[in-house]
Amino acid sequence: MVLTGAEIVIRCLQEEKIEYVFGYPGGAVLYIYDALFNQKQVRHILVRHEQAAVHAADGFARSTETVGVALVTSGPGATNAVTGIATAYCDSIPMVIISGQVPTAAIGQDAFQEVDTVGITRPCVKHNFLVKDVRDIAATIKKAFHLAKTGRPGPVLVDIPKDVTMQKCAFEYPQEVSMRSYNPVVKGHQGQIRKAVQLLLEAKRPMIYAGGGIVLSDAAEQLTKLTRLLGFPITTTLMGLGGYPASDRQYLGMPGMHGTYEANMSMHFSDVLLAVGSRFDDRVIGNPAHFAEEPRKIIHVDIDPSSISKRVKVDVPIVGDLKEVLDEMIRQLEASPTRPDASALAVWWKQVEEWRRRDCMKFKNSDDIIKPQYVVQKLWEVTNGEAFVTSDVGQHQMWAAQYYRFDKPRRWLNSGGLGTMGVGLPYAMGAQLAHPGSQVACVTGEASIQMCIQELSTCKQFRLPIKIVNLNNRYLGMVRQWQELFHGERYSESYMDSLPDFAKLAEAYGHVGFRIDKPSDVEGALRDAFSRKNDLVFLDFQVDQTENVYPMVQGGKGLTEMILSSEDL
Amino acid sequence: MRHVISLLIENEAGALSRVSGLFSARGYNIESLTVAPTEDSSMSRMTIVTSGSDEIIEQITKQLNKLVEVIKVVDISESAHIERELMLVKVRASGKDREEMMRMTAIFRAHIIDVTESSYVIELTGNQRKLDAFVGALEPELILETVRSGITGIGRGDRVLKL
Ligand SMILES: Cc1ncc(C[n+]2csc(CCOP(=O)(O)OP(=O)(O)O)c2C)c(N)n1
């Protein structure tokens, strides 16, 4: 069958069973949009800014087990997409981004809307391609999907010049990909796994530390089984929330800069630490030198060898797919006549429970002013802990992570690695499209939400009944918190003046908007909002302006040097 | 510590910039980098001379391996290997200097590959030290121009870097 390059692009997406493409048209992709017009299988979601197209496709991927797809034009379309691509890259999200390019003959001529898209995106993609021949389109797109979802996942960009989309050739979608230079390890090394299991069985103060890899590899079930089998305490990072049920007794909450006292203390004083799909990053272990002061054996399982022994020296490295490796660990444990050291574990748990009794997440609620933590607690109650929750970046993000207790993976969507303000609403769009009947909440701040506020229009067009929970403190709250603590209360440019009336703004876009001022109205407003199954509701909560996120490990400090509340200052 | 890393990479547009971009983005050193297609023209072989602690070298090899187009990576300086570099030197050669230059060329087993009334171009291969020694042995005012290829290397004996 002879097709144009543009038709081939769309056929490839059909072959990949892609339901939604998030995009924005322009000159270089006109033929692709024409091909899109002539079919029904792949639906296009017209966003209002290319950054949101990539974020929404990313959110779709995060909330499902599929690859997100975005389509943008050359030049400004591609540069607008860069923040989205970098965001997905930092969190290893499988995505394919198709960008238009000026015609091949014009490349390098400083043509209208020409940028070196492959060059600009190179450091923030898993891989990228410039397709110069129509006969290469199908094989390249096949490779792009393969690369995006295998190994350590990530965004892959395919840049296609306009003339290539007009040329014709026979279409055949390859069934398989074989690349001699790319063969990610899947199965873990048997001997290493045996060593790890041995260490786990001998441990006196064991701890499990799981990261986003658990969610990405869909290994939550295996992790839960292994953790229960061992009876060890477990923590999951910001990216790993939901990878282990938060309501379980063995769960200690999140570690790191705004993690719980018990999780940080247990990580620090463990004698055997099992790290799975996590990377010891600076927001988790704080100062690596301080972390290394306490001797402990570290087992590190990850699909990416370069994540192992990068910041922390590891004793038992295991490269492989988490699902496979954890399954093998479970198999060996079940086959072993030895059990974990029960008496040592009892002593360790006693210590862990003592740390837990500090109740570091307690906060003083108020009858007069809305506490942001209270709003998230109520959100959790009202949605039975079952909503898809997205967040932006700032204090509200930490409160959402701390107070919404995720029992299932892929329910919590946030930009952990790049920390991109503006992701919340587009992530919610992706999640809502992927899960039409489900409750989707976007927990945000008055600053972050304005970074992609134009998407309220997209939400109207595609009838997405997202609930926006705006924790409005009239400050760049996280910036203000750092200025309060580390910059002598000089609030340089962190106060937001001239905010819009968000409720009216939502109405202007054709949605429902509430403004909530009193603590006693919080729950009612949330219930009202979630009862409106077909409406996007913007809930503008006027919250305490001075509230800070605790516990806190300051940059450069060690995990045990936490500030638990303002009284510690 | 100085290391010599050899790698095979798909011979495709942009492959070199992926490697050099990796080094600059992560702040790794590049002392020299050479690249050319192998006997199988679909592959290029690169030799990178770099330096860093053991941890950094481990990260460099892992990060290189992670590049999708990289086929194989070996730190050839971990065991017995040979390094060679090519240098071309244009020297002033008139009057008594002509004799002197021929003598130096013979001593270093170099070749004169271009001759004019007033200059020679001398070709010399060897390891870095030999090339440095040659340049050091010439009178600086006689050197008109030098160009060096950067180092290439290969393992000794049975060790082979192949697909
Ligand atoms: C695109 C982008 N610009 C700047 C920052 C730095 N930054 C981190 S948090 C924050 C303030 C966020 O304010 P708001 O959305 O109101 O949330 P709050 O912290 O008040 O909950 C800023 C500016 C960022 N993370 N992303």
Side-chain angles (χ1 to χ4, degrees):
Chain A
M1 188 182 359
V2 172
L3 300 175
T4 65
E7 288 164 339
I8 291 173
V9 170
I10 301 304
R11 281 299 306 273
C12 292
L13 298 181
Q14 292 175 346
E15 293 284 335
E16 290 290 335
K17 309 254 177 325
I18 297 305
E19 261 180 286
Y20 291 106
V21 171
F22 299 83
Y24 208 91
V29 284
L30 278 175
Y31 288 95
I32 300 179
Y33 272 84
D34 212 25
L36 201 57
F37 190 75
N38 292 324
Q39 54 87 55
K40 289 223 156 54
Q41 197 176 324
V42 179
R43 288 194 55 197
H44 182 268
I45 303 296
L46 178 67
V47 294
R48 302 309 189 248
H49 188 295
E50 288 89 349
Q51 180 186 346
V54 183
H55 287 329
D58 171 347
F60 189 93
R62 285 179 201 244
S63 73
T64 59
E65 296 174 22
T66 60
V67 179
V69 181
L71 171 59
V72 298
T73 192
S74 68
T79 54
N80 271 352
V82 169
T83 299
I85 298 171
T87 303
Y89 181 67
C90 287
D91 290 342
S92 308
I93 305 303
M95 293 194 60
V96 170
I97 300 98
I98 295 170
S99 55
Q101 184 53 277
V102 299
T104 36
I107 291 179
Q109 310 281 312
D110 300 322
F112 177 63
Q113 293 192 331
E114 178 188 0
V115 293
D116 175 11
T117 304
V118 165
I120 287 176
T121 57
R122 188 175 297 126
C124 62
V125 291
K126 180 169 174 181
H127 197 60
N128 58 18
F129 299 94
L130 172 64
V131 187
K132 284 186 157 169
D133 187 327
V134 66
R135 288 165 299 184
D136 294 336
I137 292 180
T140 305
I141 293 182
K142 177 79 187 177
K143 267 188 200 167
F145 276 95
H146 177 69
L147 289 170
K149 64 190 173 195
T150 55
R152 180 176 182 168
V156 179
L157 178 133
V158 183
D159 200 26
I160 313 179
K162 185 169 185 175
D163 55 324
V164 176
T165 65
M166 296 156 58
Q167 290 156 7
K168 289 186 173 175
C169 83
F171 171 70
E172 194 188 342
Y173 200 56
Q175 289 307 302
E176 269 166 36
V177 180
S178 103
M179 296 170 77
R180 61 183 174 184
S181 63
Y182 178 78
N183 294 294
V185 176
V186 175
K187 268 191 148 28
H189 189 279
Q190 283 284 330
Q192 290 292 91
I193 297 178
R194 212 167 304 124
K195 257 198 235 164
V197 167
Q198 194 60 33
L199 263 182
L200 292 171
L201 288 172
E202 288 163 6
K204 309 282 181 226
R205 301 185 308 279
M207 177 73 179
I208 301 173
Y209 149 53
I214 284 294
V215 177
L216 293 170
S217 62
D218 293 298
E221 204 181 295
Q222 282 78 2
L223 178 68
T224 306
K225 192 165 174 201
L226 179 74
T227 307
R228 297 224 167 111
L229 202 61
L230 289 164
F232 295 174
I234 178 170
T235 178
T236 57
T237 66
L238 181 69
M239 294 311 297
L241 296 181
Y244 187 88
S247 52
D248 190 82
R249 200 191 64 88
Q250 281 168 255
Y251 184 67
L252 304 188
M254 177 169 89
M257 180 172 273
H258 294 300
T260 67
Y261 183 68
E262 53 270 34
N264 283 345
M265 295 298 276
S266 305
M267 284 263 292
H268 192 80
F269 291 108
S270 60
D271 71 336
V272 174
L273 184 62
L274 171 61
V276 281
S278 49
R279 57 189 179 96
F280 295 92
D281 83 271
D282 52 305
R283 286 296 196 260
V284 169
I285 59 159
N287 182 347
H290 180 274
F291 188 66
E293 277 169 18
E294 203 62 31
R296 67 178 84 66
K297 293 263 184 248
I298 299 178
I299 303 161
H300 194 173
V301 190
D302 206 285
I303 189 85
D304 178 3
S306 74
S307 275
I308 300 178
S309 287
K310 184 170 68 180
R311 302 195 71 243
V312 163
K313 194 94 200 105
V314 167
D315 301 280
V316 184
I318 303 173
V319 177
D321 179 56
L322 297 185
K323 224 180 192 164
E324 299 259 350
V325 175
L326 296 187
D327 264 333
E328 179 56 23
M329 281 187 172
I330 292 167
R331 205 191 56 72
Q332 291 192 16
L333 272 172
E334 283 176 336
S336 164
T338 324
R339 298 285 86 184
D341 186 339
S343 58
L345 267 183
V347 177
W348 176 231
W349 268 111
K350 207 165 144 250
Q351 171 65 73
V352 172
E353 291 300 349
E354 206 171 287
W355 287 327
R356 177 140 61 185
R357 270 195 299 280
R358 289 286 285 264
D359 197 10
C360 66
M361 286 299 161
K362 70 170 179 284
F363 64 93
K364 260 197 222 96
N365 209 359
S366 157
D367 291 336
D368 309 316
I369 189 155
I370 301 176
K371 292 286 180 181
Q373 302 94 320
Y374 174 71
V375 178
V376 178
Q377 271 185 345
K378 284 290 154 193
L379 174 67
W380 179 74
E381 271 174 42
V382 166
T383 56
N384 295 318
E386 285 178 353
F388 288 84
V389 178
T390 75
S391 87
D392 273 297
V393 173
Q395 292 181 313
H396 62 272
Q397 174 191 24
M398 293 301 123
W399 287 317
Q402 292 174 332
Y403 294 93
Y404 199 98
R405 304 214 296 277
F406 295 91
D407 280 338
K408 290 188 191 142
R410 298 196 180 274
R411 296 290 167 115
W412 163 242
L413 288 69
N414 85 131
S415 166
L418 197 65
T420 309
M421 290 169 68
V423 297
L425 183 53
Y427 277 0
M429 289 160 40
Q432 188 76 78
L433 281 161
H435 307 275
S438 299
Q439 300 173 330
V440 177
C442 164
V443 177
T444 184
E446 76 294 338
S448 292
I449 191 69
Q450 293 191 80
M451 287 219 177
C452 274
I453 193 86
Q454 75 285 346
E455 297 309 316
L456 284 174
S457 175
T458 311
C459 292
K460 185 67 192 170
Q461 182 176 349
F462 296 95
R463 297 195 181 86
L464 303 176
I466 295 160
K467 309 302 179 252
I468 298 174
V469 177
N470 189 31
L471 302 179
N472 188 342
N473 53 13
R474 282 82 81 208
Y475 271 110
L476 305 177
M478 192 54 97
V479 174
R480 186 201 54 71
Q481 175 166 346
W482 283 55
Q483 289 172 335
E484 180 187 329
L485 301 180
F486 316 123
H487 296 274
E489 303 184 20
R490 291 179 298 278
Y491 298 125
S492 177
E493 304 300 319
S494 57
Y495 182 70
M496 276 238 157
D497 209 342
S498 309
L499 287 170
D501 177 333
F502 286 106
K504 279 204 185 126
L505 183 71
E507 281 166 17
Y509 276 105
H511 302 301
V512 177
F514 301 153
R515 176 188 160 115
I516 305 98
D517 294 279
K518 291 203 299 274
S520 54
D521 291 339
V522 169
E523 181 169 346
L526 283 168
R527 289 203 185 280
D528 185 354
F530 280 98
S531 72
R532 296 169 189 256
K533 297 276 181 258
N534 299 320
D535 293 325
L536 181 150
V537 184
F538 196 117
L539 296 132
D540 187 20
F541 292 98
Q542 307 300 306
V543 301
D544 188 347
Q545 291 191 267
T546 60
E547 198 62 39
N548 284 339
V549 182
Y550 293 111
M552 180 170 191
V553 180
Q554 294 178 39
K557 292 271 174 154
L559 276 187
T560 57
E561 303 168 312
M562 267 164 287
I563 308 170
L564 287 188
S565 72
S566 56
E567 284 138 39
D568 278 2
L569 288 171
Chain B
M1 262 275 281
R2 178 178 177 276
H3 287 255
V4 182
I5 293 172
S6 286
L7 59 92
L8 292 174
I9 188 167
E10 296 290 350
N11 185 7
E12 274 175 34
L16 174 61
S17 58
R18 286 183 210 281
V19 173
S20 60
L22 169 70
F23 275 74
S24 64
R26 293 190 181 263
Y28 304 143
N29 290 322
I30 298 187
E31 205 175 287
S32 74
L33 186 157
T34 64
V35 59
T38 64
E39 73 281 10
D40 170 354
S41 64
S42 70
M43 269 190 294
S44 293
R45 175 153 170 166
M46 244 180 235
T47 309
I48 303 168
V49 180
T50 182
S51 58
S53 62
D54 289 353
E55 290 77 38
I56 289 182
I57 300 299
E58 180 181 337
Q59 267 300 308
I60 290 177
T61 47
K62 283 174 168 179
Q63 293 292 347
L64 285 169
N65 261 312
K66 198 166 143 181
L67 292 176
V68 166
E69 284 164 342
V70 167
I71 301 164
K72 262 190 184 165
V73 181
V74 180
D75 181 349
I76 61 165
S77 53
E78 274 189 338
S79 52
H81 70 287
I82 299 160
E83 292 176 26
R84 286 293 178 271
E85 186 171 8
L86 167 72
M87 176 166 65
L88 303 177
V89 191
K90 187 175 287 176
V91 292
R92 218 187 289 282
S94 49
K96 64 174 175 34
D97 293 336
R98 278 180 104 76
E99 267 304 305
E100 173 64 7
M101 282 304 158
M102 284 190 28
R103 232 165 40 80
M104 292 296 280
T105 304
I107 292 172
F108 278 87
R109 275 183 261 242
H111 304 283
I112 295 174
I113 55 171
D114 184 59
V115 178
T116 71
E117 269 168 32
S118 58
S119 73
Y120 290 152
V121 172
I122 304 169
E123 173 198 324
L124 176 63
T125 49
N127 60 23
Q128 228 168 354
R129 238 193 293 141
K130 177 175 170 185
L131 269 47
D132 290 345
F134 182 67
V135 174
L138 299 179
E139 293 209 18
E141 52 281 11
L142 295 183
I143 300 176
L144 295 170
E145 191 181 346
T146 66
V147 55
R148 293 169 72 148
S149 63
I151 281 160
T152 61
I154 199 162
R156 283 190 187 271
D158 294 340
R159 287 175 65 239
V160 169
L161 173 57
K162 235 189 143 76
L163 192 60

